[in-house]
Amino acid sequence: MSDILDDLIETEPHKYDEFLHNNGVPYAYLEVPVAFLDETIPEGANWSTKGDGENTEQKTVSEYTLNKQVSLDGTKVIIALAAMEADTYRTFAVTYDDLQDWETWLDTKEYTIDNWLTIAERNTLLASEAYGLGDE
């Protein structure tokens, strides 16, 4: 009976499904100008502060993002939309809620989900002449 019901119920794909890897984790990337690395991560984001006690401040995108690949000419960078918990501890356990936080903030910077890259799109870009990380 449940098979019949499953066939009748149509589910809409989630807007982040295209970023979902076969390991169950969504991986999203964004190409931005290198200067964007100096943007300050908004307050309230997980692991977004540095320092201790009363001397804390917000991390920059460069300090916060888990992965950065700079173009050969040094003008663009591909960042992972994932956070680094600390300099010595990295985690890529990204959820759809984390991507929603990125989307909300990036929208204020005029980067929409349409600008995001899937793993395949990022790999294609990395293999391009701009990044030169492809097979030779």
Side-chain angles (χ1 to χ4, degrees):
M1 178 76 163
S2 66
D3 291 337
I4 295 169
L5 289 176
D6 289 343
D7 290 341
L8 294 175
I9 298 172
E10 289 186 34
T11 57
E12 291 290 319
H14 193 281
K15 64 182 174 179
Y16 301 135
D17 282 352
E18 69 179 300
F19 304 103
L20 197 60
H21 188 271
N22 60 11
N23 68 1
V25 176
Y27 295 94
Y29 301 88
L30 181 66
E31 183 184 44
V32 292
V34 168
F36 190 77
L37 294 174
D38 295 329
E39 290 282 336
T40 302
I41 295 294
E43 290 183 23
N46 291 337
W47 313 313
S48 64
T49 59
K50 61 184 176 180
D52 57 353
E54 297 177 19
N55 299 321
T56 61
E57 58 184 294
Q58 291 301 111
K59 292 179 182 176
T60 63
V61 171
S62 183
E63 296 165 320
Y64 188 72
T65 188
L66 186 62
N67 187 308
K68 301 176 285 283
Q69 293 289 334
V70 179
S71 63
L72 293 175
D73 67 4
T75 62
K76 299 256 185 183
V77 60
I78 299 172
I79 62 171
L81 301 185
M84 185 177 346
E85 186 169 348
D87 290 339
T88 57
Y89 182 73
R90 298 167 180 235
T91 183
F92 218 134
V94 180
T95 67
Y96 283 0
D97 287 343
D98 296 318
L99 290 182
Q100 181 61 63
D101 290 344
W102 277 102
E103 183 178 12
T104 300
W105 180 64
L106 288 169
D107 280 350
T108 69
K109 305 295 180 186
E110 299 186 13
Y111 292 103
T112 69
I113 190 172
D114 295 331
N115 302 116
W116 294 11
L117 304 168
T118 64
I119 292 172
E121 291 167 332
R122 181 210 56 178
N123 290 345
T124 298
L125 193 53
L126 289 175
S128 72
E129 289 183 17
Y131 289 87
L133 296 177
D135 296 325
E136 300 190 3

